[in-house]
Amino acid sequence: MLYAHLEAYLAATVAKPARFVLALSGGLDSRVLLHLMGRYLQAHPEAGCKAVHVHHGLSPHADCWAERCAAWAAEAGIMIEIERVSLVLGKRMSVEQQARDARYAALQTHIGPGDVLLTAQHADDQLETVLLALKRGSGPAGLSAMPQRMAFASGWHLRPLLEYPRAAIEQYASEHHLDWVEDESNSDERYDRNFLRHQITPLLHGRWPGIRKAVARSAALCGEQEALLQELLADQLSEAISADQSLDIAGLHPDKPGSERRGKALLRYWLAEVGVKMPSQAQLEQVWHSVLLAKPDANPKVCWGEVEVRRFRQRLYVVQPWPDVSSSILPAVLNEACSLPSSLGSLLLAESKDGQLRLPQHDEPISVRFEPAGLEVQPVGRVGKRKLKKLFQEYGVPSWQRRRTPLIFYGEELAAVAGLFVVKAFAGKECDLTWHYEQE
C-alpha cells in the first residue's frame, strides 16, 4: 500500500528525471521512507537519490545512529552524507526549535535547482502540529500546518507519507523486518510534542477515530484560505516592497479607516517574504502601533528573537543582528577585489578611463574603514564641508547602516564613500569604485 502510494504520488508530483534528497534521522518514519525509496530506485534507475543524516550531537548515542543510518543507506543502494551541526543551547528558543532550524539549514545546502527534499512526516505528526498551533494561538497560516508540497531552497520539499497514520508505517516496518533507532528524548514529556503524542492524541483517537482526517481537512482548508489571501494581496505587496526589501508605509494606507486588518496581513506577508521568524500577535500589534504609526521624527523599533523592525523615511526595514565592524581597517590593493567582513560583499578600486577617482599616490596606501565619527568632507558637486553623519542623513542612509558602509581611504584621508560619493579633493577619471553587495 505505502509503496504503491509513493510511486503514484511521485509520478504525479515530480518531473522526470528527478534528484531526491532524503532526510534520514534513523527513526521509524524516515527508516521506512528510506526502504521505500530503495525500492523506487530499483524500479526507476533514471532517478537519483542521496540520504542526509543530520548529527545534532545531543544524544550520547548520536555517533551510533549515524553509523546505523550509513549501513541502512548502503543496504538500500543509496549514498549518504553525515552533516554535523552544533546548537547554541541556553537561549530562549527551545531545543526542539533550534534542532529543527539547524536540520533544515543543513539539508538546504544539499538542494540544487529542481531537487526534491523528502521527509517522512505522517498524519499523526500533522495532528500534533495543528494542536501545537492552536496552543500558540496561530491564525490560518499556522493552522494550515505542514503542506504535502512546498518550495524549499532552489527546489521542492515533499512529504509523501503525510496522508498515512503512524500505524500504517509501523505495519510496513513489521512486514519488511526493518529496525530503526529510538531517540530516548522521544519519551521526555517536557517537550510539548511528546506530551501530546503520549497523553493527548491517544485519547482523541479513542474518542474520535476519524480525527486525523478531520484535522487534515481543516488544515488544508486553512492553507487554501491563506493562499487565496496571499493571491489577493500579492499586487499590493509587490507595489509596496522595494529592491532592498524595505516596505513603503504609504502602501499600507494606515491613515484610511478600516485599513488595519489588511495592513497587518501585508506586514505578515512582507515578513514571510523577507524570511524572518513570524512575530506573535502582540508583537505585530506593536509593529503597527509603535513603529508604523509613530511620529514622523521618531526612530522606533520592535524586536523579537534576533530580528528588529525599524522605520526610516516612511519605510519599514527588517534589521538582522550583525557584528560590529566599525573598528575594522582593511588594506586594499588597486585592481584587486577586497573582501569585506560581515556579509558586506566585496569592494574593487580599479583603473578606468572614465572613473570618478584619481589614482592614489605612492605614499597613499589604500584602506577600507567603517567608522564615520569625526569625519568632515566635501563631496563632489557640493559646496563646503559637512560632517559625514549629516551627509549620511542627507543621502538617506539608515542609522543602522552607517557603520556598515565602506569608507575608502587614501593614506589617512577619506577619498570616497562606497555607493554614495567621491570626496572633491580626490576626484579624477583614473579609477572606478565598485561595491558588490546584496543587502540581506
Side-chain angles (χ1 to χ4, degrees):
M1 177 178 66
L2 280 185
Y3 178 72
H5 165 77
L6 176 79
E7 190 171 41
Y9 176 74
L10 294 182
T13 309
V14 179
K16 294 183 179 180
R19 180 179 177 274
F20 299 100
V21 176
L22 193 159
L24 179 63
S25 70
L28 168 67
D29 312 328
S30 67
R31 175 70 179 97
V32 166
L33 185 55
L34 177 73
H35 190 271
L36 289 167
M37 284 305 295
R39 293 174 62 184
Y40 179 85
L41 292 176
Q42 288 180 353
H44 302 273
E46 75 281 0
C49 183
K50 74 173 175 180
V52 176
H53 174 79
V54 180
H55 184 304
H56 297 95
L58 293 174
S59 168
H61 308 296
D63 289 338
C64 177
W65 296 343
E67 291 172 3
R68 295 182 72 183
C69 284
W72 291 327
E75 287 177 11
I78 295 174
M79 67 168 289
I80 186 171
E81 292 193 37
I82 310 297
E83 284 280 359
R84 295 177 180 268
V85 299
S86 298
L87 304 184
V88 182
L89 303 179
K91 292 186 177 181
R92 293 179 64 184
M93 188 188 302
S94 71
V95 174
E96 292 172 287
Q97 185 63 44
Q98 289 185 65
R100 181 185 182 280
D101 290 349
R103 181 164 60 253
Y104 278 105
L107 291 169
Q108 184 171 332
T109 64
H110 293 271
I111 304 297
D115 289 351
V116 178
L117 172 67
L118 298 175
T119 58
Q121 291 95 345
H122 48 71
D124 292 78
D125 293 325
Q126 185 77 305
L127 172 58
E128 293 163 8
T129 300
V130 172
L131 292 173
L132 288 171
L134 285 170
K135 172 244 181 187
R136 292 193 297 268
S138 299
L143 293 174
S144 62
M146 297 180 291
Q148 203 163 30
R149 180 178 185 267
M150 63 182 291
F152 181 75
S154 56
W156 296 94
H157 179 185
L158 303 186
R159 297 179 172 94
L161 305 182
L162 200 58
E163 296 177 9
Y164 286 85
R166 179 180 175 89
I169 295 170
E170 290 174 340
Q171 181 180 350
Y172 182 95
S174 176
E175 290 172 353
H176 293 272
H177 309 291
L178 303 181
D179 55 348
W180 58 89
V181 302
E182 288 287 357
D183 188 338
E184 66 275 7
S185 70
N186 287 340
S187 62
D188 188 345
E189 293 184 9
R190 290 176 300 175
Y191 298 122
D192 290 342
R193 189 174 287 273
N194 291 340
F195 169 72
L196 290 174
R197 184 172 300 161
H198 297 297
Q199 297 293 333
I200 304 302
T201 56
L203 295 176
L204 296 177
H205 294 154
R207 176 77 178 191
W208 301 297
I211 192 169
R212 294 186 196 89
K213 290 184 177 180
V215 167
R217 283 197 303 272
S218 293
L221 288 170
C222 286
E224 288 179 11
Q225 293 297 314
E226 187 69 11
L228 176 61
L229 186 56
Q230 288 189 32
E231 185 179 322
L232 293 173
L233 295 179
D235 289 343
Q236 191 173 343
L237 179 62
S238 179
E239 291 175 3
I241 197 169
S242 67
D244 64 358
Q245 295 191 308
S246 64
L247 190 70
D248 182 11
I249 289 176
L252 306 183
H253 306 292
D255 53 338
K256 288 186 178 181
S259 64
E260 184 172 340
R261 184 182 302 167
R262 178 184 289 260
K264 288 178 180 175
L266 283 166
L267 282 176
R268 284 193 293 269
Y269 295 145
W270 169 59
L271 293 170
E273 181 79 13
V274 174
V276 300
K277 180 185 176 183
M278 201 58 59
S280 67
Q281 183 65 25
Q283 290 161 340
L284 193 68
E285 291 280 344
Q286 278 189 294
V287 173
W288 183 266
H289 293 286
S290 302
V291 178
L292 195 136
L293 298 180
K295 294 179 180 179
D297 59 347
N299 186 26
K301 66 179 178 180
V302 171
C303 308
W304 64 91
E306 294 186 335
V307 175
E308 293 180 0
V309 169
R310 305 184 68 157
R311 194 187 74 189
F312 181 75
R313 291 191 173 181
Q314 293 304 103
R315 300 195 71 87
L316 297 182
Y317 293 82
V318 169
V319 181
Q320 303 275 22
W322 296 110
D324 181 13
V325 297
S326 59
S327 61
S328 300
I329 300 178
L330 309 174
V333 178
L334 189 65
N335 298 319
E336 293 184 16
C338 175
S339 295
L340 303 177
S342 187
S343 300
L344 283 171
S346 64
L347 204 66
L348 176 63
L349 183 66
E351 292 182 78
S352 171
K353 294 180 180 179
D354 190 24
Q356 303 87 36
L357 281 153
R358 68 167 174 80
L359 282 167
Q361 304 299 317
H362 294 297
D363 59 348
E364 293 178 325
I366 310 165
S367 62
V368 181
R369 308 180 190 188
F370 298 91
E371 178 54 76
L375 297 175
E376 191 173 275
V377 294
Q378 179 182 355
V380 170
R382 300 289 295 266
V383 176
K385 291 185 176 182
R386 297 211 70 183
K387 289 185 177 180
L388 190 50
K389 177 182 177 180
K390 295 291 185 183
L391 289 169
F392 275 146
Q393 292 174 352
E394 292 178 21
Y395 281 92
V397 180
S399 59
W400 56 90
Q401 288 287 2
R402 293 172 190 171
R403 282 182 166 80
R404 289 176 54 79
T405 301
L407 311 175
I408 294 79
F409 278 73
Y410 284 8
E412 292 302 313
E413 298 293 327
L414 178 63
V417 179
L420 294 183
F421 60 81
V422 170
V423 176
K424 183 178 180 180
F426 297 87
K429 293 187 177 182
E430 294 90 4
C431 291
D432 194 28
L433 179 66
T434 307
W435 182 16
H436 295 284
Y437 169 42
E438 292 186 6
Q439 298 196 42
E440 295 288 333

